[in-house]
Amino acid sequence: MEQRPETPPVRERIPRSKSLIMPTIANPFVHRLKLSGWDKIRIAVMSVTIVPIRAIFAILFLFVDWLFCSVIVMGHKKNAAEQQKPFTGWRSLLRRFPVGFAYRAMFFAMGFHRVDIRGMQASPREAPIAVAACHTTIFDGLLFYMMGYPTVIAKTGMKDYPLIGPLVDCLQPVYVSRTDPDSRLKTIKEINRRCEPDSEWPQIVIFPEGTCTNGSCLITFKGGAFYPGVPVQPVAIQYKNALDTFTWTWDGPGALKLMWLSLCNFSNKLQVTFLPVYKPSEAEIKDPKLFARNVRAVIANAIDKPVTDHTFEDCRLMMRAQEMGLPLEVGLVEFQKLLTKLGVKMDHLQDKLKSYADIAKSGGYINMEDLAKYLELPVSPALKEVFALYDRDGSGKIDFREYVIGCSLLAQPANNDETLKLAFAMFGGDKDYIEPEDMCRIMNSAFSMAEEESLKIFKQADADNSRKVTYDEFKAYMQKKPEYAKLFITYQQLATLPETIEADFKNKLCATKSELDIERSQTELKTEASAAKTGEEKKRD
């Protein structure tokens, strides 16, 4: 007997892509220090003995660096032609010896007595670009000395930092601005120029994550290092102290506190691993994002860390969420994954965050009561079904990431003309408008809603106060709260579900009856054949 599939629950009709499952990795932009009793004693003793001496020497060597770097860049910044070339002559000599010695002495004073270097650094001809990760701290600058003063990518604002500005200028960086829309293209163009085969520029060191993390994973690599399509050398950076006093993230101890705590360590342990040069394939040259993912996987494998699709844009959303009074982690949505899978842009996410903040009243998350209050509806089976569609992990609450995915896969697709016309017809029937009694009848039937509450929604939709809601008014209201369209569709599905099940049951009965008839007919034929055979045998006897 052929088995007919049973009608699935409404929520199972919505495909749930495994690529959009919730990330299992904790927030990579938060760092919490847990000091033991011994740590507190050590910090207290070091703070009044060794740390002041270390700090004085570090500042002294920093001042020496600033002085020589200021001399090196003096006049050079005003000459546009010279800026297009790497330092040569006396500028290069000063940078390598007085500046290099003072720079290393500064880090020595801060407790970095020895750096564990593994592997061999490639030459600029072998690998014009070096990509370094994890980028976790302000102390990562020590890498520049270890690599013989390469050129770097730096934020435009760094040139204005006191004391630090000339040090950054001395590295002849490619400056990038996050606020200039043309900055990205200019940066890629300049990186390409410095990577040309006959270029005299030193190796370019890039931290492709674009922002500091807590080192628990590798976030999305930006494409700047990979657009030229040239060989790159992956470089793994790891701080080996048991107590992590180095990590500087968006949510955690500030830079000065971390510097003070790091000075309180007896010794700071840094391990730098130069991995084999990675030569891109033809496919990777054509697809820089693929190139970036594969290089990220090489570094992640070398340091045994997972990867995520978080980006700097997640940090921007975190800050925006905080401004709205929401918890910081609300903004963590793995932006790169949503952009790739759903095409969700940053401005769209910021608009959605405003809508989310209007609904979420339960500690930064949306629960059933919040959704019902926002839609001005009582809790009903249809509302529970829609809530379950948004609540992808079944936690009983909707976070911002689930809300964005739900709006993209459920609410917005439901707000098309065909669906809205069906929903409009559910209220008005054959009429081209909805009257108050129509609204009350359907809202009571669908959601057991009182007449007073139904009329309140009717007045909101009735823009011109004509006591008749036209299709255009209905559509405009639905687009303000797209959850309504999906809600009405779900109600219609639930309302027709028993009829579908009954029809399936009748079909099964008919199928069973037909099979029984066939089976009975086959049995009767076998009986008749057996009787005829017995009769023939008796005649022969």
Side-chain angles (χ1 to χ4, degrees):
M1 181 174 68
E2 182 184 359
Q3 296 292 327
R4 292 174 58 85
E6 295 184 3
T7 304
V10 175
R11 74 183 67 179
E12 292 182 0
R13 295 176 184 170
I14 304 298
R16 294 193 175 188
S17 171
K18 290 184 178 180
S19 62
L20 287 172
I21 60 175
M22 293 296 294
T24 57
I25 297 168
N27 187 345
F29 304 114
V30 63
H31 178 53
R32 296 287 180 263
L33 270 173
K34 297 180 179 179
L35 302 177
S36 65
W38 163 245
D39 290 327
K40 293 176 182 178
I41 294 173
R42 173 177 54 78
I43 290 169
V45 173
M46 293 285 286
S47 294
V48 296
T49 55
I50 305 298
V51 171
I53 299 173
R54 283 182 168 179
I56 290 172
F57 275 100
I59 293 172
L60 175 64
F61 287 121
L62 176 62
F63 179 76
V64 172
D65 254 345
W66 171 82
L67 184 63
F68 278 103
C69 287
S70 297
V71 172
I72 291 172
V73 300
M74 188 181 301
H76 185 268
K77 295 169 64 176
K78 297 179 181 179
N79 192 323
E82 285 192 15
Q83 290 184 48
Q84 300 299 313
K85 301 176 183 179
F87 287 141
T88 57
W90 65 271
R91 297 182 195 273
S92 177
L93 190 65
L94 282 181
R95 186 175 69 172
R96 183 166 294 277
F97 293 103
V99 171
F101 173 79
Y103 193 75
R104 182 65 186 94
M106 179 182 68
F107 276 95
F108 187 90
M110 290 191 290
F112 290 90
H113 304 140
R114 177 177 173 273
V115 178
D116 181 12
I117 299 178
R118 302 187 178 187
M120 293 289 292
Q121 180 184 358
S123 68
R125 290 190 177 276
E126 293 175 287
I129 296 174
V131 290
C134 306
H135 183 28
T136 59
T137 175
I138 52 178
F139 295 111
D140 286 344
L142 179 55
L143 180 67
F144 303 143
Y145 170 80
M146 309 311 302
M147 297 185 68
Y149 284 94
T151 187
V152 298
I153 308 296
K155 294 185 296 183
T156 304
M158 292 189 70
K159 64 175 69 175
D160 300 321
Y161 289 179
L163 291 178
I164 303 298
L167 273 69
V168 177
D169 275 337
C170 198
L171 292 171
Q172 292 188 282
V174 179
Y175 281 114
V176 57
S177 171
R178 286 173 174 152
T179 57
D180 180 6
D182 298 325
S183 179
R184 180 172 174 270
L185 292 176
K186 293 176 183 176
T187 301
I188 293 173
K189 184 178 179 180
E190 180 61 17
I191 293 174
N192 282 330
R193 188 182 72 83
R194 297 190 184 193
C195 290
E196 291 174 354
D198 57 348
S199 173
E200 297 179 358
W201 283 93
Q203 201 172 46
I204 305 174
V205 175
I206 298 176
F207 292 94
E209 291 172 292
T211 188
C212 287
T213 71
N214 58 20
S216 62
C217 61
L218 292 183
I219 64 173
T220 300
F221 279 12
K222 291 183 175 295
F226 308 98
Y227 280 107
V230 298
V232 302
Q233 182 170 34
V235 182
I237 307 173
Q238 294 174 283
Y239 293 84
K240 294 293 188 175
N241 289 48
L243 179 64
D244 183 2
T245 59
F246 313 105
T247 295
W248 182 37
T249 58
W250 290 80
D251 184 9
L256 291 177
K257 181 178 180 179
L258 289 173
M259 191 168 290
W260 166 58
L261 292 175
S262 297
L263 290 173
C264 290
N265 295 330
F266 294 126
S267 180
N268 294 317
K269 302 173 183 178
L270 170 63
Q271 178 180 301
V272 178
T273 304
F274 292 100
L275 299 170
V277 173
Y278 189 103
K279 297 181 179 179
S281 64
E282 288 297 326
E284 290 169 329
I285 292 173
K286 294 178 181 177
D287 186 357
K289 291 182 179 179
L290 174 64
F291 190 6
R293 288 196 300 270
N294 291 343
V295 173
R296 180 179 65 165
V298 169
I299 301 178
N301 183 62
I303 61 177
D304 193 24
K305 298 288 184 183
V307 299
T308 73
D309 287 320
H310 292 103
T311 65
F312 173 72
E313 282 70 20
D314 287 280
C315 298
R316 290 173 58 192
L317 282 172
M318 284 172 56
M319 297 300 104
R320 187 70 181 129
Q322 187 178 48
E323 291 172 6
M324 295 181 179
L326 298 169
L328 276 171
E329 63 269 17
V330 167
L332 282 176
V333 296
E334 284 194 306
F335 173 77
Q336 185 61 38
K337 182 174 288 185
L338 296 187
L339 175 64
T340 302
K341 300 294 181 181
L342 302 177
V344 179
K345 301 294 180 63
M346 176 53 65
D347 54 353
H348 176 72
L349 280 178
Q350 291 182 340
D351 290 340
K352 285 297 177 188
L353 188 59
K354 294 177 184 177
S355 302
Y356 179 85
D358 291 338
I359 308 174
K361 304 299 181 184
S362 304
Y365 298 92
I366 299 174
N367 61 24
M368 178 67 72
E369 290 69 28
D370 292 331
L371 185 61
K373 185 177 180 180
Y374 170 70
L375 296 175
E376 302 178 282
L377 295 172
V379 176
S380 65
L383 188 62
K384 290 179 180 178
E385 192 64 45
V386 170
F387 184 89
L389 290 172
Y390 278 82
D391 182 18
R392 301 177 65 81
D393 61 356
S395 62
K397 59 184 181 181
I398 301 170
D399 60 31
F400 180 55
R401 187 174 188 275
E402 291 174 318
Y403 178 73
V404 172
I405 295 172
C407 288
S408 299
L409 297 181
L410 303 170
Q412 296 297 346
N415 258 5
N416 57 55
D417 282 335
E418 182 180 356
T419 301
L420 292 178
K421 286 176 181 177
L422 287 173
F424 183 78
M426 183 175 75
F427 285 91
D430 295 331
K431 297 181 297 184
D432 57 359
Y433 55 86
I434 300 172
E435 294 182 301
E437 52 269 24
D438 298 326
M439 177 70 76
C440 293
R441 174 175 51 81
I442 293 297
M443 298 303 280
N444 179 263
S445 172
F447 311 114
S448 301
M449 196 169 183
E451 180 177 334
E452 181 181 349
E453 297 299 322
S454 299
L455 290 175
K456 183 179 178 181
I457 293 179
F458 181 88
K459 289 178 181 178
Q460 292 175 0
D462 185 16
D464 59 0
N465 296 318
S466 64
R467 291 189 60 80
K468 290 182 180 180
V469 174
T470 63
Y471 175 72
D472 289 337
E473 291 175 322
F474 180 79
K475 181 179 179 179
Y477 185 69
M478 287 291 189
Q479 288 176 339
K480 289 179 182 177
K481 295 184 177 181
E483 295 82 5
Y484 271 120
K486 182 61 189 173
L487 190 62
F488 288 131
I489 293 172
T490 302
Y491 165 69
Q492 289 176 314
Q493 290 173 335
L494 289 173
T496 58
L497 197 56
E499 297 174 6
T500 307
I501 294 174
E502 183 180 355
D504 280 352
F505 182 68
K506 289 180 179 178
N507 289 333
K508 287 181 181 179
L509 284 179
C510 292
T512 304
K513 183 177 182 298
S514 299
E515 291 183 0
L516 288 174
D517 289 341
I518 293 171
E519 185 177 349
R520 184 166 54 249
S521 299
Q522 290 176 343
T523 303
E524 290 173 352
L525 288 173
K526 289 178 181 179
T527 303
E528 290 175 1
S530 177
K533 182 178 180 182
T534 303
E536 289 179 0
E537 289 176 351
K538 286 182 179 180
K539 286 180 181 180
R540 283 199 300 270
D541 292 340

